[in-house]
Each structure stands twice: as C-alpha cells, then as structure tokens.
Amino acid sequence: MAKQSNNLLGWLLGAGVAFILCAISVAVSSYHGEQGRETVMLFDSLAYLPILVFAVSLFTASKLHRPGDRIEGDKVLRHDGIARLTHWTAAFGCLLLLITGIALGFLFIPRFVVDATATAMMFNLHFVGALFFVFGCGLWASNQLVEPRRFSTHLPDESLWIELKKSVLHYTHMLGMTKTHVEAPKYHHSGRLAGLVIMASSFVVILSGFGKLLARGLDLNPSIAELINLSHGWSALALLLLIPVHALLGGVAPWAWNTLKAMVTGYVSRDYAQKEHAIWFRELEEKQRHQESQR
C-alpha cells in the first residue's frame, strides 16, 4: 500500500509541476504590463535554466543508489522509480518539443503559427519541453555512466543481421504469423536497435539545442549557425518518425500493455517475465540465488 501511495504521489507531483510550468509559459507569452501588452521569451530571459537543469540531473545521478531489478513473489520489478522518472520526464518533454516544433516549423515543415502571441507561446512551451527533456535524458545518460552495466542492457549484443532477424521473428510471432518464439532479454532486440537511433538523435537534439541557445546571445558564423539548425532539425525529424513507432509497438499494441503498465507501476507479473523475457528472468533468478547463498 505504501508503494502504491508513493507512486500515486509521484505521478500527482510530476503532473502538477508540468501543468504549472506550462501554465506559466502560456501566461507570460502575452500579458499587460506597465507599458502595455508585453511578451516574455523564456529562451532569452531564462537562458541559463536548461544548463542548470542539466547540472541538476548530473548531480542527482551521482547521488542515486538503485537496487536493480528483482523478483518479488509473483511480481518482478522491471523499472524502479528512477527509471520511470527518467522515462516520463523525457517522454513528456519530447512530446511537447515535437508538437511545438511542428507548430513553429522546421526543415521542410511549414510554420503553422504566424501570430506574434501564438508564436511566443509555442516558443515558451518549447522551452518547458526542453527542460523536461534535458532533465530526463541527462539523468538517464549520467546514470549509465555511474552504472555502466545498465547501459549494456540497452545495446545490441549480437550482429546487426541477427538482431534484425530476431526482431522480425518477434513481431511476426506477436501478430500470430509464426509460432517461432524468440527468447528475449530485458529489452527486446527491436527495442535495442531502435534505442541506438533514439539515443543518437536525442544527443544531437540536445547538443544542437544548446548551440541554438548559445546563438541567441552570440554572433555566430552563419555557416556554423546553419549547421546547428540543420543538425537540430534532422535529429528532431528522426525522433518524430521513431517515437510514434516506439509508442505503438512498446505501449499501445496489445502485446505491450504489460510493459506499459510496468512504466507506470514498475512491475510486471512473474509469468509475463518468464514467458516474454526469459533470458532476463533467468538472470534475475541466478542473481537471487547468488544473493541468498551469500547470506
């Protein structure tokens, strides 16, 4: 009961912070000040905040102690609180960035907002999205550096061809097109492959985003500024194409409901872990036996 209460409290707190920040960003986009109607651009007035948020994510990761996945009776802890925090802050930030980015237009995507107030609102919401995305990705990345073993679970451990073959077999099995069932580690082979592109794209988006922030205060060489803009745009486009597929196959599709639930509660059932992530489950059993033998 205590775990459920803490989980609910965390969700309410996170939703509250997101709502308040979004409300503030909308409110300051157009308000009546002493000199009439004024607009505040958060990317200008609070340009230091994304850097501060990134620093906070690094500091937080350095202080964390995560016990790791474990079997708890008929349940298996798949994602601890920190994993869920990094996932949902990055996910919310990414969603907000993509929506506002499309509204503002980039690369060959036309701008959908032209009014000054609406444009300021989109930029300010984009700023809020950047804060969440930078925090989530920064916390995740720095945690991988603190505990490198976690990073290996996200990477392919076989050749590209084998990973692709197992990915196809997995989804054809899920769709009932074949009876061949591929034993999976904690993250399916397709997720590991897609994860590489998502990680690379996210890194470029954040790095180029800081570059764009720098360009607002400095007179950069036009060629460098254009390179930053193109890097930001194409990496954002990669995320725009990949994230919906990731959400569909990893959460919306019926076979993924258990993993989606785990991203909310942290747990999957023991039976599900044994069947769908057999390699991971055997590793947890071995870890549990080793820990018990040390007592």
Side-chain angles (χ1 to χ4, degrees):
M1 183 63 73
K3 289 182 179 179
Q4 292 179 346
S5 298
N6 290 337
N7 193 40
L8 178 60
L9 180 61
W11 276 99
L12 291 175
L13 180 61
V17 170
F19 176 79
I20 291 172
L21 290 179
C22 287
I24 291 174
S25 69
V26 171
V28 301
S29 298
S30 179
Y31 74 100
H32 293 281
E34 295 180 357
Q35 299 179 349
R37 194 172 183 176
E38 299 180 18
T39 297
V40 174
M41 295 293 289
L42 298 180
F43 275 112
D44 294 326
S45 58
L46 296 175
Y48 62 88
L49 200 52
I51 300 173
L52 179 61
V53 166
F54 183 68
V56 169
S57 72
L58 297 181
F59 177 78
T60 303
S62 69
K63 298 298 181 180
L64 292 176
H65 173 68
R66 301 174 64 182
D69 307 334
R70 59 183 179 272
I71 301 171
E72 299 180 8
D74 61 349
K75 298 187 300 182
V76 180
L77 179 63
R78 180 176 172 86
H79 301 298
D80 62 14
I82 300 302
R84 302 198 300 278
L85 175 64
T86 58
H87 179 272
W88 290 113
T89 50
F92 174 73
C94 185
L95 180 63
L96 197 54
L97 286 171
L98 291 176
I99 291 174
T100 53
I102 291 172
L104 292 166
F106 66 98
L107 296 179
F108 50 82
I109 298 177
R111 179 186 287 263
F112 288 92
V113 291
V114 292
D115 176 75
T117 299
T119 299
M121 186 186 301
M122 288 299 106
F123 268 114
N124 286 340
L125 285 171
H126 201 75
F127 181 83
V128 173
L131 296 182
F132 276 90
F133 192 64
V134 165
F135 178 80
C137 292
L139 183 58
W140 181 88
S142 50
N143 192 245
Q144 310 309 305
L145 295 176
V146 173
E147 300 183 73
R149 62 182 177 81
R150 291 184 180 276
F151 187 53
S152 64
T153 65
H154 296 276
L155 300 176
D157 54 7
E158 297 180 275
S159 69
L160 178 61
W161 169 247
I162 296 297
E163 294 282 350
L164 285 171
K165 182 179 179 181
K166 288 185 176 181
S167 299
V168 172
L169 285 174
H170 169 67
Y171 287 115
T172 52
H173 175 72
M174 291 293 101
L175 292 170
M177 298 169 63
T178 177
K179 294 183 178 180
T180 304
H181 176 68
V182 179
E183 288 193 335
K186 181 177 181 178
Y187 300 107
H188 280 289
H189 305 279
S190 57
R192 293 183 174 203
L193 290 175
L196 287 177
V197 183
I198 291 175
M199 283 186 279
S201 299
S202 298
F203 174 77
V204 176
V205 161
I206 291 174
L207 188 63
S208 58
F210 279 122
K212 288 170 70 71
L213 194 62
L214 184 66
R216 297 180 75 90
L218 297 178
D219 186 20
L220 295 181
N221 182 287
S223 298
I224 296 177
E226 180 65 15
L227 178 61
I228 291 173
N229 285 330
L230 287 175
S231 300
H232 199 70
W234 284 108
S235 53
L237 183 62
L239 289 176
L240 180 61
L241 296 174
L242 279 172
I243 295 300
V245 177
H246 170 69
L248 175 65
L249 298 180
V252 178
W255 61 74
W257 290 348
N258 282 284
T259 51
L260 177 61
K261 181 181 177 182
M263 266 301 175
V264 177
T265 66
Y267 291 89
V268 294
S269 69
R270 185 187 185 102
D271 291 340
Y272 172 82
Q274 279 182 301
K275 180 181 178 182
E276 300 298 336
H277 299 272
I279 297 175
W280 173 56
F281 187 79
R282 287 197 295 269
E283 291 173 351
L284 293 181
E285 284 187 312
E286 178 61 31
K287 175 184 174 183
Q288 190 176 56
R289 284 194 293 267
H290 177 72
Q291 290 175 339
E292 290 174 351
S293 68
Q294 298 299 311
R295 293 174 183 172

